[in-house]
Amino acid sequence: MPPEFVYLSLIDTCLFFDKFGANCIFPCNMNGTLALLIALISYGNEYLSKGVSFHQLDFSNSTLLYCNKIEFNTTDSLSNILTVANSPQHWFEFLKTEGCKKLRICYRQSNSKSHIRDYQSDSFLGGGGQWLIEAIYNNYSGYWTFDQRVTQPNAADKRILSVSLNTIQEKSPQLSPVLPVEKARQDLSAALAAIEEFAATNKQDRWAGIFKKALEILNNPKPNIDYYKDFIISDQYSVPRKQLLFSASLADVFGGIGSWNDILYSNIEANKINIQLSADLYDKINAAVVAAVNSN
């Protein structure tokens, strides 16, 4: 059998092949880029709220294992790029000096006019929507976007990636209040139950099992995640927030070859239902992540 894998991000690809080898189907789990953004928010909010970091986000963190550099850039009035920090801790300190009060996750749909939906294009570079970090100040917000490049492809320590976060909008309106955790939980639960039933009916037992496990996490008093175990500061998150975030992570089955996206049915009606259920689940996963990360 030829190697099969799903493109989720360069970080995911490194982690997968290092852990499982080339001849496996990519396990479903959270996008590595998103995991790093969530880590920056979790560790950053500790420093912004307390003025000290009791937990360090450094290159030993699972979200940075394959990175050789991370930098944070702004632009001046002439659009020159200015590097304001070359480590997460220095970035947190920069933000606090600038008056930042809190960090949040932000998801923007692609609003593409293409017939391809976001969940279908999510596996491709530049596809799907966009995840951002929102830096909240007293009366406005600033937004940071993510970029990663292979800069040391032959690195013996496997740290092949250089990561940067860059400001794209400064002094913009703040986002509306987040969806309550319980409402996001109900929505995700309904979407998972519907697609689990569909998968089981169509004899997609492996996928039905994944959806069932994601549902079970929503009620697990001790929820956990398979990897990126240190991407949040655990004490920051209540059990309901962990349940929601970890369930959404497992339910993220969207990718390329070998993923849920790769399944086609001979029955036209089944394909129509699959598109509807998949698009709904994708939306509910993203809403669940936002609710879990941004709630208090």
Side-chain angles (χ1 to χ4, degrees):
M1 178 181 294
E4 296 180 283
F5 64 93
V6 178
Y7 177 83
L8 292 177
S9 77
L10 294 174
I11 295 173
D12 296 305
T13 305
C14 293
L15 179 60
F16 170 65
F17 286 116
D18 188 34
K19 184 174 181 180
F20 297 99
N23 295 306
C24 299
I25 295 176
F26 206 118
C28 301
N29 219 306
M30 176 171 286
N31 180 306
T33 297
L34 178 55
L36 176 53
L37 295 182
I38 293 172
L40 287 165
I41 291 168
S42 180
Y43 288 76
N45 280 336
E46 178 182 62
Y47 182 79
L48 292 173
S49 64
K50 300 178 180 178
V52 62
S53 292
F54 295 103
H55 305 82
Q56 293 292 324
L57 178 59
D58 54 30
F59 286 99
S60 66
N61 189 275
S62 60
T63 63
L64 287 169
L65 284 181
Y66 299 95
C67 300
N68 56 63
K69 180 175 72 171
I70 182 169
E71 62 182 22
F72 303 83
N73 304 313
T74 62
T75 55
D76 62 17
S77 58
L78 299 177
S79 297
N80 296 311
I81 297 176
L82 304 174
T83 299
V84 297
N86 55 14
S87 73
Q89 184 60 39
H90 289 158
W91 184 54
F92 304 153
E93 293 168 2
F94 166 79
L95 291 172
K96 192 167 184 66
T97 301
E98 293 288 300
C100 179
K101 305 300 181 182
K102 186 178 181 180
L103 299 174
R104 298 198 303 188
I105 197 74
C106 169
Y107 178 76
R108 293 179 177 172
Q109 293 181 324
S110 68
N111 295 320
S112 172
K113 295 181 180 179
S114 167
H115 68 281
I116 299 177
R117 304 195 183 201
D118 279 358
Y119 86 86
Q120 294 170 317
S121 65
D122 188 66
S123 60
F124 304 111
L125 191 62
Q130 184 181 29
W131 288 101
L132 306 169
I133 291 181
E134 179 188 12
I136 300 174
Y137 297 82
N138 281 333
N139 301 308
Y140 64 90
S141 289
Y143 295 90
W144 296 74
T145 188
F146 177 94
D147 184 46
Q148 61 184 353
R149 302 175 188 277
V150 176
T151 56
Q152 298 182 23
N154 300 315
D157 60 2
K158 302 179 183 178
R159 293 187 179 275
I160 67 172
L161 305 175
S162 293
V163 169
S164 65
L165 280 91
N166 310 285
T167 52
I168 58 168
Q169 285 179 270
E170 297 182 22
K171 297 190 176 181
S172 302
Q174 294 182 355
L175 296 178
S176 15
V178 300
L179 187 69
V181 167
E182 182 55 31
K183 179 63 168 69
R185 180 188 179 283
Q186 292 170 2
D187 290 347
L188 181 59
S189 178
L192 283 167
I195 203 166
E196 180 201 355
E197 181 180 2
F198 172 80
T201 299
N202 287 276
K203 299 181 180 180
Q204 297 292 338
D205 295 338
R206 172 175 176 258
W207 298 106
I210 290 172
F211 298 135
K212 181 179 180 181
K213 185 176 179 181
L215 267 170
E216 291 171 348
I217 291 175
L218 287 174
N219 297 298
N220 189 334
K222 295 182 179 180
N224 59 63
I225 192 170
D226 290 337
Y227 55 91
Y228 299 130
K229 291 180 178 293
D230 53 355
F231 81 126
I232 61 170
I233 297 174
S234 183
D235 292 345
Q236 286 180 348
Y237 279 68
S238 64
V239 170
R241 289 176 67 195
K242 289 179 184 176
Q243 290 170 333
L244 188 60
L245 183 60
F246 297 167
S247 174
S249 169
L250 181 61
D252 188 357
V253 296
F254 306 103
I257 298 171
S259 77
W260 177 256
N261 278 359
D262 204 39
I263 299 173
L264 289 175
Y265 300 94
S266 57
N267 185 301
I268 295 177
E269 186 60 29
N271 280 318
K272 289 181 179 179
I273 295 172
N274 183 26
I275 290 172
Q276 294 170 351
L277 293 176
S278 298
D280 183 56
L281 178 61
Y282 184 80
D283 289 343
K284 297 306 188 296
I285 287 171
N286 292 335
V289 170
V290 172
V293 173
N294 291 350
S295 297
N296 294 321

